[in-house]
Amino acid sequence: MSPSQNSDARRISLRAFAPHLLALPLWAVLGVFLAVPILMIVMVSFLDYDDAGLIYTFVLDNYRDQLGSAVLWRTYFHTIQFAVLVWALTLSIGFTVAYFLAFHVRTQLWQMVLFQLCAIPFLTSNIIRMISWIPTLGRNGLLNQALAASGVIDKPLEWLLFSDFAIVLAFVHLYTLFMVVPIFNTMMRIDRSLIEAARDAGAGFWDVLRNVIIPLSLPGIAIGTIFVVTLVMGDFVTVRMMGGGQSASVGLMMSNSIGLLQYPTAAAQAMVLLITVLLMVAAILRVVDIRKEL
Amino acid sequence: MEKRGLAFYLLAAFFALFVVFLYGPTITIALLSFQGPRGNLTFPMRGLSLHWFENLFDEQMVGDFAGSFGRSITLALIVMLLTVAISLLAGLAFRRKFRGATVLFYLTVASLIIPSILISLGIGLLFAVMGLQPTWWGSALGAHLTWTLPFGVLIMFAVFNRFDRSLEEAARDLGASPFQTFRHVVLPLITPSLIGVGLFGFSLSYDEFARSSMTAGSDNTLPLEIYGMTTNVTTPVLYALGTMTTMFSLAVIFVCVTLVVVLRRK
C-alpha cells in the first residue's frame, strides 16, 4: 500500500467515526447527569431506611405505603386538576396570541418584534415573576384597593394571594409562552393559499378556523401541551410560593419527603410521578404526530 | 391591501392585554423598589428613594447577595460556554447517520420533559451514595446542563435542517479542506444561532431554581438566596433585588440581540 492510500484509508475511517466523537460530550453529560441519576432513583426507591440513613435491602414498602395512602390519591387528583385547568387557559390564550401574530400582523418585522416581546419574560427569573404578584394580589394590593374604592367589596378578599387561584394565575403567567412559541411556529408554516381556497369556496371565519387552521396547528398545540403538562405536574416551587402552605401538589409532596431526608419515599414518589408524566406524554403523542415538527 | 376588520381590533386588544398581564407585575415591583424608607410591600408609594437598593449590600438585611450573585454569574457563563460547544458538536454529529443517534435524540428530549425535581433528587442521591459533596460548580452545573442542552441541541437541529448544503459543496469544489469549509463557510452562517443558544444557556442557568435546590451544596446561587429571602424578608428590599436581577437579565438579552443584528448587517 502506498503512503497516500494509507492516509486516505485513515481519513475515511476517521470520517466514519467523526459523528461519534462529535456526539460524545452530549452522551457524557446526559449519561452522567440524566440517565445515571434516574437509575439511582429507581434503585433507592427499593431501599429501606432508618434515622442513620439508607439500608441496602430490597423492599417494596415505599411503593406499598404510598399507593395505599389516600393522601397520595387526593394529591394526584389535585395536581391533575391544576394541570387540566392551566392547560385549558394557556391553550386558549396562547392560541389566540399566536393566531394574532401569525395571521393578523402583516409585516415580518412587526411579527418578530411582537413575538420577542412575548418571549423575553421566559429569560427572566420565575421566582421574581411570582414575587411580583404581591403588590397586585396582596391583602392591601392594587386589586383589593380598586375593588374597595369602587364599592364592590367592603373588606379585602383574602383568597387572591396564597390560594389555588394564585397558583393557577402564576402558572398561566409563567407558562403561556410555552404554548405561544410552538403554535406560532406551526401556524407560520400553514400555506396561505389553503386559507384563500377555503374562503373562495365560501367558508366563513369559523369554518376556516375549525377545518383548516386548528387541524394544521395540532403539532404545535401538542408540543405546547407536553411542555405545560409536564411543567405543572412536576412543579413544587410555584405551589409552595403562591399557595403559601395552603395547597398541595405531587412535586411539593416529594420536596417535603426530601426535606425530611426520607429519600426512599421521595424516590418512590418520583418514580410514580415519572411514570404518570410519561404516560401523559405518550397519550398526547398517540393523538398527534409531531415528527414533522422536528 | 385588505381593510382591517373588527377581528383585527379585537385580537389586537387581546394581545395588548396579554402583554400588560406579562409585564404589569414586573413593572409594579420595579416602581415599588424605589419606595421611601418607610414604604412597604404594597402601594401607595411613601416617598421616592434608593434606600432599598443600598440595603441590598447589607448582609444582615439580605444575606449573602454579592456572593450568590457572583456564583450565579460564573455558573451561568460556564453553562453558556458548555451549552454552545456541546450543542454545536452534537448538531454537527446529527447531520449524518450514526449508531445510537436515535437513542441520543430521545435522551435529549427526555431531558426536556422529565420534571426538574427528579433531576435534582437523582443527582443529589448519586452524589450522596458516592460520598461526594454537591457543589454549585459540579453537581449544579450538570443539573443545569440537562435543562439548557436540549434547547441548544434542538435549536442546532432546526438550524442544520434548514442549512443549504450547496454552499459547503461549493467551498469543497474550490479546494477548501473540511476544517476550512467549517471555519469560513458554516461557522459565519450559524453564528447568530449560536449566540441565541448562548443566551438560552446563560439565562436558563442564571434563573434556575428547581434543579439547583438539591445540587448546589452549601453555597447558594442567587435564585436559592432569593427564595430563602421570601420567607423572612418583608420589606421592599425584596423588590430591589428583583428589579436588579431582572435588569441584569434584560441587559444580557439586549447585548445578544444587538450582536445578532450587527452580525446580520455585515
Side-chain angles (χ1 to χ4, degrees):
Chain A
M1 208 192 272
S2 76
S4 90
Q5 268 178 319
N6 192 8
S7 89
D8 267 5
R10 196 179 301 146
R11 191 174 298 150
I12 285 165
S13 74
L14 193 68
R15 257 184 80 76
F17 198 62
H20 293 276
L21 274 180
L22 293 169
L24 200 61
L26 185 62
W27 272 117
V29 173
L30 294 183
V32 175
F33 292 104
L34 179 72
V36 175
I38 297 296
L39 292 176
M40 212 63 218
I41 295 178
V42 176
M43 184 189 96
V44 172
S45 72
F46 292 109
L47 295 183
D48 203 356
Y49 66 100
D50 61 15
D51 294 340
L54 301 173
I55 302 170
Y56 289 82
T57 51
F58 179 88
V59 294
L60 289 170
D61 299 14
N62 304 311
Y63 288 97
R64 206 176 295 134
D65 293 351
Q66 225 202 119
L67 296 174
S69 103
V71 177
L72 175 102
W73 293 101
R74 252 201 322 268
T75 311
Y76 261 91
F77 182 67
H78 198 60
T79 312
I80 290 172
Q81 270 183 321
F82 277 141
V84 171
L85 196 55
V86 172
W87 171 73
L89 288 167
T90 53
L91 176 59
S92 2
I93 299 172
F95 186 90
T96 313
V97 167
Y99 176 79
F100 171 72
L101 289 178
F103 295 107
H104 283 270
V105 177
R106 282 171 179 168
T107 66
Q108 235 188 355
L109 180 70
W110 271 107
Q111 246 169 4
M112 275 333 289
V113 170
L114 295 179
F115 178 75
Q116 302 291 352
L117 195 64
C118 296
I120 285 171
F122 175 59
L123 298 176
T124 65
S125 164
N126 278 3
I127 301 234
I128 299 294
R129 291 178 71 201
M130 286 184 239
I131 291 172
S132 69
W133 281 106
I134 298 174
T136 308
L137 299 180
R139 199 166 183 285
N140 302 310
L142 288 174
L143 216 57
N144 269 326
Q145 285 176 13
L147 288 172
S150 60
V152 180
I153 53 171
D154 43 50
K155 61 179 198 278
L157 299 173
E158 300 284 352
W159 52 264
L160 289 178
L161 196 59
F162 305 136
S163 60
D164 283 0
F165 167 78
I167 294 171
V168 172
L169 184 79
F171 275 139
V172 173
H173 188 223
L174 295 176
Y175 299 147
T176 299
L177 175 77
F178 284 95
M179 283 289 187
V180 174
V181 175
I183 298 177
F184 175 72
N185 267 329
T186 42
M187 281 180 173
M188 288 303 280
R189 261 180 268 161
I190 296 177
D191 188 349
R192 303 298 138 128
S193 57
L194 282 176
I195 296 168
E196 263 170 53
R199 287 237 175 86
D200 291 345
F205 170 78
W206 294 109
D207 297 318
V208 173
L209 192 65
R210 215 182 55 217
N211 299 317
V212 181
I213 295 174
I214 291 181
L216 291 174
S217 308
L218 276 182
I221 292 173
I223 292 176
T225 302
I226 291 174
F227 267 118
V228 170
V229 167
T230 55
L231 284 166
V232 173
M233 287 304 294
D235 175 90
F236 66 102
V237 193
T238 313
V239 175
R240 187 183 287 159
M241 282 196 59
M242 301 307 282
Q246 311 290 310
S247 195
S249 79
V250 179
L252 191 56
M253 185 170 72
M254 247 186 85
S255 152
N256 290 337
S257 307
I258 294 170
L260 295 168
L261 306 180
Q262 298 168 344
Y263 294 127
T265 308
Q269 287 165 341
M271 288 315 295
V272 177
L273 174 61
L274 182 62
I275 290 164
T276 313
V277 166
L278 291 180
L279 284 177
M280 289 170 118
V281 172
I284 296 164
L285 294 182
R286 266 197 90 100
V287 180
V288 185
D289 181 10
I290 62 166
R291 266 171 300 180
K292 278 187 303 238
E293 290 303 296
L294 300 172
Chain B
M1 211 180 244
E2 209 180 326
K3 211 171 137 265
R4 295 202 189 276
L6 181 63
F8 170 80
Y9 292 103
L10 287 176
L11 285 165
F14 184 86
F15 183 81
L17 276 177
F18 177 67
V19 172
V20 170
F21 171 66
L22 272 187
Y23 288 89
T26 311
I27 294 169
T28 58
I29 67 158
L31 287 174
L32 286 168
S33 56
F34 292 99
Q35 278 274 29
R38 291 189 312 111
N40 51 37
L41 287 176
T42 47
F43 287 102
M45 299 283 288
R46 291 167 206 266
L48 205 64
S49 74
L50 289 174
H51 178 80
W52 304 106
F53 285 94
E54 285 155 20
N55 265 348
L56 271 182
F57 297 94
D58 181 352
E59 281 214 17
Q60 251 133 40
M61 295 288 289
V62 291
D64 186 16
F65 164 67
S68 56
F69 189 49
R71 279 189 287 276
S72 274
I73 291 181
T74 316
L75 178 58
L77 283 173
I78 303 172
V79 170
M80 176 185 84
L81 292 176
L82 288 175
T83 304
V84 170
I86 298 173
S87 307
L88 172 61
L89 294 180
L92 290 170
F94 277 121
R95 298 183 79 190
R96 283 196 278 148
K97 285 197 168 65
F98 62 97
R99 265 179 70 182
T102 317
V103 178
L104 185 58
F105 180 75
Y106 279 116
L107 201 58
T108 309
V109 174
S111 199
L112 204 55
I113 60 172
I114 290 177
S116 303
I117 188 169
L118 263 83
I119 310 273
S120 215
L121 173 67
I123 295 178
L125 289 175
L126 176 66
F127 273 61
V129 166
M130 288 179 42
L132 296 169
Q133 275 306 319
T135 54
W136 60 270
W137 46 264
S139 40
L141 171 65
H144 286 198
L145 286 175
T146 61
W147 180 229
T148 58
L149 280 177
F151 284 103
V153 171
L154 292 178
I155 291 174
M156 292 323 295
F157 219 75
V159 167
F160 283 125
N161 270 344
R162 288 162 186 70
F163 195 83
D164 187 356
R165 279 173 194 257
S166 60
L167 294 168
E168 283 168 281
E169 277 158 31
R172 214 170 299 139
D173 291 346
L174 292 170
S177 72
F179 181 75
Q180 283 174 322
T181 311
F182 174 74
R183 170 70 187 78
H184 297 289
V185 178
V186 180
L187 197 58
L189 284 168
I190 61 169
T191 303
S193 312
L194 290 179
I195 294 174
V197 171
L199 174 62
F200 264 78
F202 186 92
S203 307
L204 295 181
S205 162
Y206 177 72
D207 296 323
E208 181 58 39
F209 175 82
R211 282 171 204 245
S212 309
S213 62
M214 277 197 73
T215 58
S218 49
D219 290 324
N220 276 349
T221 59
L222 188 58
L224 295 175
E225 195 74 24
I226 296 174
Y227 180 76
M229 281 175 64
T230 57
T231 50
N232 52 34
V233 176
T234 51
T235 60
V237 74
L238 195 59
Y239 297 159
L241 186 49
T243 306
M244 280 277 292
T245 60
T246 305
M247 289 312 288
F248 180 75
S249 294
L250 294 181
V252 171
I253 296 170
F254 180 77
V255 169
C256 290
V257 171
T258 313
L259 264 176
V260 170
V261 170
V262 170
L263 281 173
R264 285 256 162 85
R265 286 242 172 92
K266 274 208 288 191

